[in-house]
Amino acid sequence: MFTREGILSLILSIPGLLLAIIFHEFAHGWAAYLMGDNTARYSGRLSLNPLHHLDPVGALCMLLFRFGWAKPVPINPNNFKNHRKGVIIVSLAGPFANFVIGLISWILAYASQLLLGTVSSFAMFLVNIFVISGYMNVGLMVFNLIPIPPLDGSKILLEFLPYRWQYKIYQYERYFSLILLLLVYGGTMTPVLSVIRSYVIAFYELVAQGIFGLII
């Protein structure tokens, strides 16, 4: 049963969840468009409307575990001007967008405390929202870089494998997806993902401290 603090944490997580999902998928679609593929544009996915990108299960995992996924933007790599370059850039675009939004969120958390102080409840409300947004974005970034289909990391890895291997892996992608879900719900990957996330957050800390010279 959820405690009052747990419910409050879920509520504060919603802005970060929406930012993480919206910009992750929008970045994929926009990068694909720049690489020569209009599929996302024609399907209405070049949008900042969160309803176009939310995956119910992935969003729930983001809220509960700080790791999750969104509804993939439709992309046709055959339209890319350069196939390998296009796939790699488009696959990296989503996680990179999360990295940037996470860093901005962390900097805004520092700025909120610096400008509003630590006594104001409104200041702490903003700080919590921005900090959680940072964790949400880093969680989505790290999770999607796992080299297991259908995540972004797998698409990058496959571009460096022989075609026959790519074909086999794509042929059994549904089974990899099932394995991925079992790993997520079983908590097998959580310790590793948490360590990676902590390193990214530590980098955010260094950047924010360098800008403001204070520690939250």
Side-chain angles (χ1 to χ4, degrees), residues 141-200:
M141 177 193 76
V142 171
F143 183 79
N144 275 275
L145 288 176
I146 297 172
I148 299 177
L151 300 177
D152 298 325
S154 69
K155 296 179 176 64
I156 298 169
L157 176 63
L158 286 174
E159 287 304 308
F160 296 96
L161 297 178
Y163 176 76
R164 65 180 183 277
W165 289 23
Q166 294 183 32
Y167 176 77
K168 284 292 183 182
I169 291 174
Y170 279 124
Q171 187 177 13
Y172 296 103
E173 183 174 356
R174 69 179 68 180
Y175 300 107
F176 281 107
S177 300
L178 179 59
I179 292 171
L180 180 64
L181 284 175
L182 292 174
L183 290 173
V184 170
Y185 289 117
T188 306
M189 294 189 301
T190 301
V192 176
L193 297 178
S194 296
V195 169
I196 298 173
R197 185 179 65 182
S198 69
Y199 281 116
V200 180

Side-chain angles (χ1 to χ4, degrees), residues 51-214:
L51 297 179
H52 292 172
H53 305 301
L54 281 174
D55 177 281
V57 177
L60 183 61
C61 286
M62 283 279 288
L63 285 173
L64 297 178
F65 308 119
R66 300 292 187 261
F67 300 109
W69 58 92
K71 186 166 61 177
V73 165
I75 290 168
N76 186 353
N78 293 324
N79 293 329
F80 293 156
K81 301 166 188 175
N82 181 308
H83 185 278
R84 172 174 286 188
K85 180 181 178 181
V87 170
I88 293 174
I89 289 177
V90 171
S91 299
L92 285 173
F96 179 73
N98 290 133
F99 176 83
V100 172
I101 297 299
L103 179 58
I104 292 173
S105 298
W106 214 259
I107 291 172
L108 289 175
Y110 270 71
S112 298
Q113 182 165 313
L114 179 65
L115 296 175
L116 301 176
T118 57
V119 178
S120 167
S121 58
F122 177 67
M124 296 313 299
F125 174 77
L126 285 180
V127 169
N128 284 328
I129 283 183
F130 291 134
V131 167
I132 292 174
S133 175
Y135 277 108
M136 284 282 187
N137 276 277
V138 174
L140 188 60
M141 177 193 76
V142 171
F143 183 79
N144 275 275
L145 288 176
I146 297 172
I148 299 177
L151 300 177
D152 298 325
S154 69
K155 296 179 176 64
I156 298 169
L157 176 63
L158 286 174
E159 287 304 308
F160 296 96
L161 297 178
Y163 176 76
R164 65 180 183 277
W165 289 23
Q166 294 183 32
Y167 176 77
K168 284 292 183 182
I169 291 174
Y170 279 124
Q171 187 177 13
Y172 296 103
E173 183 174 356
R174 69 179 68 180
Y175 300 107
F176 281 107
S177 300
L178 179 59
I179 292 171
L180 180 64
L181 284 175
L182 292 174
L183 290 173
V184 170
Y185 289 117
T188 306
M189 294 189 301
T190 301
V192 176
L193 297 178
S194 296
V195 169
I196 298 173
R197 185 179 65 182
S198 69
Y199 281 116
V200 180
I201 294 297
F203 173 77
Y204 287 175
E205 286 280 335
L206 288 175
V207 173
Q209 291 174 22
I211 294 174
F212 298 106
L214 60 89

Side-chain angles (χ1 to χ4, degrees), residues 10-26 47-55 59 62-63 70 98 101 105 129 132-133 136-137 140:
L10 287 177
I11 293 173
L12 292 176
S13 298
I14 292 174
L17 169 68
L18 295 179
L19 282 174
I21 288 175
I22 289 170
F23 283 98
H24 181 98
E25 295 304 326
F26 179 82
S47 168
L48 295 178
N49 184 344
L51 297 179
H52 292 172
H53 305 301
L54 281 174
D55 177 281
M62 283 279 288
L63 285 173
N98 290 133
I101 297 299
S105 298
I129 283 183
I132 292 174
S133 175
M136 284 282 187
N137 276 277
L140 188 60

